[in-house]
Amino acid sequence: MIVPGLHHLAAPSETKENPVPGENLTRVEARDRAALVSVESYDILLDLAAGPGTFSSTTTVRFGAPAGSSTFIDLIAPRVHTIVLNGHALEPAVVFADSRIALDDLAAENELVVVADCAYMTTGEGMHRFVDPVDNEVYLYTQFEVSDSRRVFAVFEQPDLKATFRFTVTAPEYWTVVSNSPTPEPTPVPGRLTDAGVGVATWAFKPTPVLSGYITAIVAGPYHQERGELTSRDGRRIPLGVFCRRSLAQYLDAEHVLDITKAGFEFYEDLFDYEYPFAKYDQLFVPEFNAGAMENAGAVTFVETYVFRSKVPDATIERRAGTILHELAHMWFGDLVTMRWWDDLWLNESFAEYVSTLAVASATRWTSAWTTFSSLEKSWAYRQDQLPSTHPIVADIRDLEDVKVNFDGITYAKGASVLKQLVAWVGHDEFFAGVRAYFRRHAYRNTELRDLLVELETTSGRDLTAWSELWLEKAGVTLLRPDVEADAHGQITSFAIMQEVPASHPVHRPHRLAIGGYDLVTGNDGTPGLERTSRVEIDIDGPRTAVPGLLDNPRPALILVNDDDLAYAKVRLDADSLATAVEHLHSFRDSLPRTLIWAAAWDMTRDAELPGRDFVDLVLANIGYETDSSVVLVLLRQLTTTLDLYVAPEHREAVEIATADRLLELARAADAGGDSQLQLARAFAARARTTAQLDAVAALAYGTDHLTGLIVDTDLRWELLSSLVALGRAGETEIAAQLVADHTATGQRAAAAARASMPTAEAKKAAWSALLESDELPNAVQLATIGGFTRVVDRSLLVPYVEPYFAALTGVWTSRTSEMAQNIVVGLYPTLVLNESGVDVLGRTDSWLDQHGDEIPALRRLVVEARDAVRRALAAQERDRSK
């Protein structure tokens, strides 16, 4: 699936499991149940022809267990009608409680039948129900990871109790119904009509291969579909489908999606030496999806913002391609072979992240995908790994509450970075020979880390025990710094790599890395540029590693440690190299070394080594030369963070005004209609502050001024309007008019965000009430409203909500679903008021942490992470102040 003070975080216990609330499940309970139960099959009947609140679910599960033993099966449902175990009726009021059905006095072979009414959700969990405002059509889809299949049918909700699943779905006859197995011809239900007078039909799907319950799926509604086909390496013809809502059909570029998919099939079947393991492959773009995508076997769901109704940066198109290939990789790594418990979630996500980047770079037009990986993914990993809540890649997942907050930069990006380093160490061919053996040995089964390492050790001839202990089982990121000396003639006389470790995780690790030397070289066009003139690849370990291969050579103008980005480590430049980088950053011939310099500068800013205003100057002086769309995207995000948090508050207004002016200059100078022009124009609108700047935004929005080549389409118009609203230059009249012109789900979300961003106490109060005093907002509208609420220039507007935020935390966590609660806890944390008079964000956070202890570990983790962002911001502001 494609998914902010140290002493305040309690260390996870190796033995103590979290207490079990009504919907939790511990690792110990899962292990005990897996040792007891073997599941054969599920037959699941879902009646989706009624609504809007609930649907009928009938589950028949067949499983083995020791005679006379007891266990439980999972279900979350507002109403259970009947429970029949081996022909004997059980009383729901007696055996069903806390999302569990108690099953006692089991036979060696058992059949359980559960009939229940399950709830449609508007949170993106379980069976999500959405009504399209364009045509009032209903669209449904399921999202089960981590533990929400139990919201749709009775199930042993853990990944290592695999079984076959046979779905039978009743729905309006004109709908499309998709599941993991190929879609059968529907059978009309004689005499039955929906409340709207529409005929009803039944789709009886064939059983799936053996799967974990969380990767099963049902998608139903009047979806538009495009078809394709490919031939697998074993000669099978694999049907392909691409789906979206009817009202988005005109924007669906299915041909491009299928091209990427076909390239991925060919790449993976060759790389893995294992044919695609399922009968068909459907990709469905669904509304109000919480993640980027979900790897349901043969029926992958995607966030529908990947259906582009307006122009988007090439970075977003590349991201979609990467997401398509990430989910396709999961068909082997995650679906064919699945982790035993969520401790090894990283095995699914890190592998998919690594090989999908490899596929994008090797099989698509984005050959610089490793630059994107370095800029986007590794920066995420470094940020996550420096939080007080950082954890080993192989995490200690005690229960479901733990895993729900563990879809993070360690599980995805650090794991993928470490795998990339492992490949460099053991060799590409040896690594994938081990992966191929792993698939063959464990197909349709569950595994743990050791199962993969055994295969890699066999094919590489290396003992990976020590490597695993240092890289996978210990947390933290090290910092690599060159120690270089040269004589009066510029010859290197001493060179070493210093490895610095954080006090909280004092672990020196071995690294395979390259050291690149760069000099200014005049190119064929007559302009000087930084080109690599030397390269040494070495293994380093310990606090200091000498590099004799560079001795007695002329010192390059710039020395880059971790050239080619092989290692997972923060990097610093020596003084001479840093001066060269600052002066000539835009002149690198290749994008990856330039991106590594950007990463070092950003990390220095976050670590309060480089003043925030210096980073702003560096970005504004060089971003106009940047040609990689994803790098531009990341730099503009980092620029925003620096302006919001890292520039000293007494300098912030002047720097913001100058930044907006410069962004508009850059947008006007960019290639007409180009990628950078679009990104820079959007960034300018978001940072506009003065009357003149807002006049320029209004001129763009209303068509009285144009940037040559810039098309102000529907989504860009919303962005421009939202900037005007947030500064008080537009209001409800303009929002309502734009919503009439764009009466779509996207328009409704944009309007919600704009209304919440109005710079008035009344608007903030209304947004807060909708978010905290009611739970009626759908997930996507909730996120939009949070974004609008926290979009302020006058930060004092948010001060009245500091105390209500902390007062609401526990109630939100215990009363909302996981996704909805996390959105509130993270999105509404009062980071932006850290400099407001009379507000001590750190002190108030510490008070809450001290008061609540470790009673809800997952909630505590999110609050501790948010606290750390404020601590880091205050340190960075102090550094900027001392400039």
Side-chain angles (χ1 to χ4, degrees):
M1 184 170 66
I2 222 126
V3 254
L6 183 62
H7 67 282
H8 293 291
L9 185 69
S13 167
E14 291 297 327
T15 57
K16 181 183 177 182
E17 300 291 334
N18 293 342
V20 184
E23 296 179 5
N24 206 355
L25 174 72
T26 72
R27 176 175 53 202
V28 168
E29 289 179 309
R31 286 175 179 171
D32 290 346
R33 186 163 64 173
L36 186 77
V37 171
S38 59
V39 188
E40 176 187 339
S41 66
Y42 293 87
D43 285 313
I44 300 161
L45 280 64
L46 302 175
D47 189 342
L48 308 179
T54 62
F55 58 94
S56 175
S57 170
T58 300
T59 306
T60 301
V61 55
R62 297 172 181 86
F63 63 98
S69 62
S70 299
T71 189
F72 62 92
I73 196 168
D74 306 286
L75 178 67
I76 298 175
R79 187 178 303 105
V80 176
H81 295 287
T82 61
I83 303 171
V84 178
L85 175 62
N86 299 327
H88 300 288
L90 307 180
E91 178 55 52
V94 175
V95 301
F96 177 52
D98 288 336
S99 74
R100 299 179 177 188
I101 299 172
L103 304 175
D104 297 323
D105 194 22
L106 295 172
E109 299 294 333
N110 301 275
E111 181 179 273
L112 173 71
V113 181
V114 180
V115 180
D117 290 339
C118 294
Y120 289 115
M121 305 292 289
T122 58
T123 66
E125 301 150 296
M127 180 74 76
H128 187 86
R129 186 177 190 271
F130 169 84
V131 179
D132 192 335
V134 174
D135 54 18
N136 290 318
E137 291 284 6
V138 173
Y139 290 87
L140 308 175
Y141 65 87
T142 57
Q143 169 57 28
F144 291 155
E145 191 175 33
V146 172
S147 57
D148 287 315
S149 59
R150 57 186 171 161
R151 295 184 184 276
V152 176
F153 51 88
V155 61
F156 294 104
E157 187 78 274
Q158 57 190 80
D160 59 343
L161 288 178
K162 286 189 169 185
T164 62
F165 292 80
R166 181 169 62 186
F167 289 98
T168 301
V169 179
T170 299
E173 62 183 2
Y174 70 98
W175 279 16
T176 296
V177 180
V178 176
S179 186
N180 308 95
S181 298
T183 299
E185 287 296 320
T187 301
V189 178
R192 184 176 172 191
L193 301 176
T194 68
D195 291 342
V198 175
V200 172
T202 296
W203 287 257
F205 291 87
K206 291 183 178 180
T208 68
V210 173
L211 297 175
S212 298
Y214 79 92
I215 53 174
T216 62
I218 295 292
V219 182
Y223 284 89
H224 170 79
Q225 60 181 295
E226 301 283 346
R227 306 302 310 183
E229 188 179 72
L230 59 79
T231 301
S232 175
R233 67 197 298 267
D234 61 2
R236 289 177 301 144
R237 302 186 75 81
I238 307 296
L240 306 175
V242 183
F243 299 74
C244 71
R245 288 186 287 128
R246 285 181 177 176
S247 61
L248 290 176
Q250 61 182 310
Y251 308 113
L252 180 63
D253 49 346
E255 182 177 356
H256 183 263
V257 171
L258 291 173
D259 285 345
I260 297 294
T261 304
K262 292 174 182 178
F265 262 83
E266 182 177 358
F267 182 81
Y268 289 146
E269 288 196 332
D270 179 64
L271 185 68
F272 300 153
D273 191 29
Y274 197 107
E275 64 276 4
Y276 173 69
F278 304 109
K280 54 91 176 178
Y281 194 67
D282 290 327
Q283 297 174 93
L284 306 106
F285 296 88
V286 297
E288 298 181 334
F289 196 67
N290 285 323
M294 177 62 205
E295 65 268 18
N296 311 305
V300 176
T301 42
F302 293 85
V303 63
E304 69 176 14
T305 52
Y306 278 148
V307 178
F308 306 129
R309 66 175 199 158
S310 295
K311 184 178 180 179
V312 297
D314 191 61
T316 307
I317 303 173
E318 180 187 0
R319 188 66 177 170
R320 182 179 68 177
T323 303
I324 289 169
L325 295 173
H326 178 108
E327 303 308 321
L328 182 57
H330 272 312
M331 298 301 108
W332 288 266
F333 219 110
D335 293 3
L336 175 67
V337 183
T338 312
M339 77 247 155
R340 187 174 306 282
W341 176 248
W342 300 101
D343 292 350
D344 286 315
L345 173 64
W346 83 276
L347 272 178
N348 284 9
E349 300 302 345
S350 297
F351 185 87
E353 196 70 15
Y354 169 70
V355 297
S356 63
T357 305
L358 188 64
V360 172
S362 304
T364 77
R365 67 178 175 87
W366 291 282
T367 55
S368 62
W370 288 114
T371 296
T372 299
F373 180 84
S374 178
S375 181
L376 196 63
E377 303 304 323
K378 291 190 83 169
S379 64
W380 179 26
Y382 295 145
R383 183 174 69 251
Q384 190 83 42
D385 214 5
Q386 295 175 83
L387 290 170
S389 60
T390 189
H391 56 84
I393 294 172
V394 180
D396 181 25
I397 302 298
R398 299 162 295 182
D399 57 22
L400 295 179
E401 290 288 301
D402 279 352
V403 72
K404 288 177 181 178
V405 294
N406 220 53
F407 287 83
D408 60 14
I410 305 297
T411 299
Y412 284 76
K414 181 180 180 179
S417 302
V418 168
L419 286 178
K420 183 185 180 188
Q421 179 166 279
L422 178 61
V423 172
W425 186 47
V426 305
H428 177 278
D429 293 344
E430 291 80 1
F431 178 85
F432 282 103
V435 169
R436 293 167 190 144
Y438 175 80
F439 288 145
R440 289 191 294 269
R441 185 180 302 274
H442 298 289
Y444 301 104
R445 296 167 61 188
N446 296 88
T447 61
E448 297 174 341
L449 168 62
R450 189 61 202 160
D451 297 310
L452 176 61
L453 294 183
V454 164
E455 305 302 338
L456 295 178
E457 288 175 339
T458 299
T459 56
S460 70
R462 293 181 181 266
D463 184 350
L464 298 179
T465 304
W467 177 87
S468 174
E469 180 181 352
L470 289 171
W471 280 106
L472 303 182
E473 299 165 43
K474 295 185 184 299
V477 57
T478 59
L479 187 148
L480 304 180
R481 190 187 302 272
D483 181 13
V484 56
E485 295 181 7
D487 61 22
H489 303 290
Q491 298 291 111
I492 295 176
T493 58
S494 174
F495 193 99
I497 302 297
M498 313 302 293
Q499 182 175 184
E500 302 173 10
V501 298
S504 55
H505 300 284
V507 181
H508 289 94
R509 295 181 173 90
H511 297 266
R512 165 63 62 89
L513 56 81
I515 302 167
Y518 288 80
D519 288 294
L520 283 169
V521 176
T522 301
N524 294 331
D525 60 357
T527 60
L530 283 171
E531 291 186 5
R532 186 163 66 189
T533 54
S534 63
R535 182 183 186 275
V536 175
E537 187 168 322
I538 63 168
D539 292 319
I540 71 165
D541 200 356
R544 186 180 191 275
T545 303
V547 186
L550 292 175
L551 300 182
D552 302 323
N553 291 305
R555 183 205 153 90
L558 185 149
I559 298 171
L560 180 57
V561 176
N562 196 28
D563 200 11
D564 295 326
D565 202 27
L566 300 180
Y568 175 79
K570 297 166 56 171
V571 169
R572 293 294 184 265
L573 303 175
D574 66 274
D576 290 344
S577 296
L578 180 60
T580 299
V582 170
E583 184 177 357
H584 300 287
L585 181 55
H586 65 275
S587 69
F588 274 96
R589 303 290 191 195
D590 297 321
S591 64
L592 183 54
R594 183 171 65 246
T595 296
L596 295 174
I597 301 297
W598 278 122
W602 174 238
D603 192 64
M604 291 171 68
T605 307
R606 295 186 72 248
D607 284 353
E609 297 175 22
L610 183 71
R613 282 175 287 162
D614 285 359
F615 183 77
V616 171
D617 291 343
L618 189 66
V619 171
L620 295 178
N622 290 278
I623 195 170
Y625 299 98
E626 187 59 62
T627 57
D628 189 293
S629 178
S630 293
V631 175
V632 172
L633 180 72
V634 171
L635 288 175
L636 289 172
R637 289 177 180 174
Q638 293 170 348
L639 179 66
T640 294
T641 300
T642 304
L643 293 169
D644 286 345
L645 298 178
Y646 298 159
V647 171
E650 60 268 29
H651 301 302
R652 185 182 296 134
E653 182 178 3
V655 175
E656 285 187 330
I657 292 170
T659 296
D661 283 339
R662 178 61 177 154
L663 288 171
L664 182 56
E665 291 174 7
L666 289 167
R668 294 193 186 281
D671 291 342
D675 188 277
S676 290
Q677 182 193 55
L678 174 62
Q679 294 204 58
L680 291 165
R682 291 163 63 176
F684 159 70
R687 303 310 309 185
R689 295 292 183 267
T690 67
T691 299
Q693 290 168 353
L694 292 172
D695 286 344
V697 174
L700 290 173
Y702 302 130
T704 58
D705 183 27
H706 298 280
L707 289 176
T708 302
L710 182 70
I711 299 174
V712 181
D713 50 30
T714 303
D715 289 337
L716 181 55
R717 184 168 288 106
W718 271 118
E719 292 190 51
L720 298 171
L721 175 60
S722 296
S723 294
L724 296 173
V725 170
L727 273 295
R729 283 285 295 267
E732 178 57 36
T733 299
E734 291 83 359
I735 295 170
Q738 180 61 21
L739 187 56
V740 169
D742 181 30
H743 189 60
T744 65
T746 304
Q748 290 181 339
R749 294 194 297 271
R755 285 169 174 144
S757 74
M758 289 181 179
T760 66
E762 293 76 15
K764 299 304 179 187
K765 182 178 180 180
W768 183 267
S769 176
L771 291 167
L772 273 298
E773 297 169 13
S774 168
D775 62 357
E776 295 182 359
L777 292 182
N779 54 332
V781 179
Q782 180 208 48
L783 274 175
T785 303
I786 290 171
F789 177 83
T790 56
R791 184 174 185 176
V792 292
V793 174
D794 178 4
R795 301 186 183 197
S796 67
L797 287 167
L798 302 182
V799 170
Y801 301 97
V802 175
E803 287 303 319
Y805 169 83
F806 287 103
L809 281 178
T810 301
V812 165
W813 194 264
T814 55
S815 65
R816 308 286 179 101
T817 66
S818 176
E819 290 286 349
M820 303 296 274
Q822 288 189 59
N823 291 343
I824 289 173
V825 172
V826 175
L828 294 180
Y829 182 82
T831 303
L832 290 176
V833 300
L834 78 168
N835 301 123
E836 292 302 302
S837 177
V839 179
D840 179 4
V841 177
L842 289 186
R844 185 61 186 90
T845 305
D846 291 346
S847 174
W848 186 91
L849 291 168
D850 291 340
Q851 178 184 355
H852 291 275
D854 202 32
E855 64 186 29
I856 308 177
L859 172 59
R860 182 181 183 84
R861 169 180 169 169
L862 296 179
V863 175
V864 166
E865 290 179 352
R867 179 196 187 278
D868 191 69
V870 172
R871 177 201 62 78
R872 185 177 290 274
L874 290 171
Q877 289 176 9
E878 189 59 34
R879 176 65 183 91
D880 188 66
R881 184 175 291 114
S882 65
K883 176 182 174 179

